[in-house]
Amino acid sequence: MRVLVLSDTHAPRHWKACPPALLPELGRADVVLHAGDVCTPDVLDLLAGFAPLHVVRGNNDGPDVAAWGAPDTLELDLTGVRVAMIHDSGQKQGRSARMRRRFPGADLVVFGHSHIPLEEVPDDPRTGVRLLNPGSPTDKRRQPTGTYAVLDLRDGAIVESRIEPLPR
């Protein structure tokens, strides 16, 4: 299963339209995850036209995004990989352990909010959980380029996970 992971698209301020470089990735996705701060549900409509979409509500998402179906947190099973999603995971220090306590059954926690891409694998999965923040494809803040993430999931395992820069 190929999973495209996005966050912090911030339409229409930063997402005027889908970045052209994302279109091939969307076309190859079996599932799309969005970790919040979509800001307008039309982005969700567009993404859902490519593949099943799972989204959580971010701090800049209003009632219209919640009405589209974005809860504050979400837990789902993708080919046996237990994925939890939340927009704001809190401060960096202690994040993995805090997310393990919040989502005790998760194999992976996807989050956003900071716009800083991050992939972190804990030393001990009993006390921490694997984390993935795809960054933002459209609002890079202090990053050199926008980013997104791609996961390859198979038979209950994360076969590959990578954060990709979005070509300018």
Side-chain angles (χ1 to χ4, degrees):
M1 172 181 284
R2 185 179 177 93
V3 182
L4 179 66
V5 187
L6 302 169
S7 186
D8 299 290
T9 47
H10 290 277
R13 193 176 78 200
H14 293 285
W15 174 290
K16 308 291 185 203
C18 183
L22 264 183
L23 291 172
E25 292 295 339
L26 284 163
R28 289 189 291 269
D30 296 309
V31 172
V32 178
L33 304 180
H34 196 299
D37 277 0
V38 177
C39 301
T40 61
D42 59 314
V43 172
L44 299 174
D45 293 335
L46 177 116
L47 296 174
F50 286 92
L53 172 65
H54 302 280
V55 59
V56 292
R57 193 170 61 85
N59 60 297
N60 287 298
D61 292 328
D64 52 349
V65 172
W68 194 94
D72 290 336
T73 63
L74 183 64
E75 295 182 62
L76 54 142
D77 184 296
L78 299 176
T79 68
V81 177
R82 296 161 304 177
V83 178
M85 295 175 60
I86 189 168
H87 180 63
D88 184 356
S89 65
Q91 68 180 358
K92 180 180 178 179
Q93 185 175 3
R95 181 182 287 143
S96 181
R98 188 172 54 255
M99 291 297 101
R100 168 56 69 216
R101 289 189 301 275
R102 176 95 187 243
F103 303 107
D107 299 310
L108 171 69
V109 174
V110 172
F111 69 98
H113 190 60
S114 71
H115 301 223
I116 299 170
L118 169 82
E119 183 170 17
E120 184 177 299
V121 179
D123 293 330
D124 184 349
R126 293 171 299 180
T127 59
V129 66
R130 186 174 187 153
L131 301 170
L132 178 64
N133 181 337
S136 171
T138 53
D139 186 6
K140 62 187 181 74
R141 287 195 185 162
R142 294 173 296 279
Q143 303 305 305
T145 185
T147 56
Y148 61 95
V150 177
L151 299 168
D152 180 14
L153 309 180
R154 206 170 308 137
D155 300 323
I158 300 170
V159 176
E160 182 181 15
S161 173
R162 64 185 190 280
I163 296 172
E164 295 284 346
L166 196 64
R168 292 179 186 219

